[in-house]
């Protein structure tokens, strides 16, 4: 079930990486955001209809994205999403040190 949900929804997480790369390449943030919202809405319609998530294909075939960051960079975003954990490790460590370990009487 988890793997199915990742296949279905993880491609949406790549939009954060795509947007960051677009902005770093000089694309206006609002423009990058609107392009990715448009792509996400199209992909969400397909997912809602029971189809596989087409987000990657939409992004890779969107010239406003690929002209800015290149096909290879855009494609890399979809490979990185399963490794993109943001600040989760820091928050987990903080929880362990400040909440869990004190509650169970374990030294850090």
């Amino acid at each position: 079930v988890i793997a199915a949900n990742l296949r279905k929804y993880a491609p949406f997480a790549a939009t954060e990486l795509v947007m960051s790369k677009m902005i770093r390449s000089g694309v206006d943030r609002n423009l990058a955001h609107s392009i990715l919202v448009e792509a996400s809405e199209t992909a969400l319609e397909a997912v809602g209809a029971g189809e596989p998530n087409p987000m990657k294909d939409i992004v890779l075939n969107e010239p406003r994205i690929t002209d800015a960051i290149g096909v290879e960079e855009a494609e890399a975003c979809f490979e990185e999403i399963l490794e993109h954990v943001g600040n989760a490790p820091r928050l987990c460590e903080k929880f362990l040190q400040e909440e869990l370990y004190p509650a169970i009487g374990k030294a850090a």
Side-chain angles (χ1 to χ4, degrees):
V1 171
I2 292 170
N5 281 336
L6 281 173
R7 281 190 301 277
K8 186 183 277 188
Y9 297 109
F12 290 114
T15 60
E16 180 182 343
L17 300 170
V18 171
M19 189 161 117
S20 293
K21 290 181 181 196
M22 290 176 71
I23 292 167
R24 281 195 302 267
S25 77
V27 176
D28 176 75
R29 185 203 176 285
N30 290 331
L31 177 58
H33 182 263
S34 68
I35 292 167
L36 291 166
V37 165
E38 180 183 311
S40 295
E41 288 172 347
T42 301
L44 189 57
E45 284 180 29
V47 169
E51 300 171 19
N53 191 325
M55 190 69 191
K56 181 177 179 180
D57 289 334
I58 293 169
V59 166
L60 296 179
N61 289 295
E62 173 52 70
R64 296 174 294 176
I65 295 171
T66 56
D67 287 351
I69 65 173
V71 173
E72 297 81 16
E73 282 294 313
E75 195 162 23
C77 294
F78 291 90
E79 295 169 14
E80 294 173 32
I81 56 175
L82 297 177
E83 297 173 14
H84 186 68
V85 295
N87 65 351
R90 183 182 60 76
L91 293 175
C92 284
E93 187 60 35
K94 181 179 178 184
F95 170 76
L96 291 172
Q97 299 298 327
E98 296 177 8
E99 304 290 334
L100 183 63
Y101 292 161
I104 63 172
K106 180 179 177 183

